[in-house]
Amino acid sequence: MALRSAESVQTAPVAALGLIGGYLTARESGIRPLGGVVIGAAGLFAGRSWLTKTDPATTAALSAIYLGGFGASHPLAKKVGAWPAVVGVAAASAAASYALSDRR
């Protein structure tokens, strides 16, 4: 199976689904590292496109937003609940991906 070309990948849904899918995988399987694998795989897939479509600085910024969202979702979940936290950071990462990469 071949990957789509990096230029043709819309990264906003990949970023959002990576964060949501990672959370759901960890929650339903009970294996937190497995959720991390999902988050990491989606991040690498999106990152490949970010680097092709933009520049290293933008790719680093989008990666920081993606990984920072993952980290921020944990303390945020204590305040608003797990699902709202995950959906919120996924939406923020998707919006940034669209604005800085996909829209080009």
Side-chain angles (χ1 to χ4, degrees), residues 18-95:
L19 291 165
I20 293 170
Y23 168 71
L24 190 59
T25 299
R27 179 179 164 201
E28 295 301 314
S29 71
I31 305 169
R32 290 176 60 121
L34 186 57
V37 168
V38 172
I39 291 168
L44 288 172
F45 188 66
R48 154 185 176 264
S49 292
W50 293 332
L51 190 57
T52 299
K53 292 177 177 184
T54 66
D55 54 64
T58 303
T59 299
L62 288 168
S63 297
I65 291 166
Y66 182 76
L67 293 173
F70 167 68
S73 68
H74 291 82
L76 185 58
K78 293 179 181 183
K79 296 186 184 294
V80 299
W83 275 114
V86 170
V87 170
V89 299
S93 185

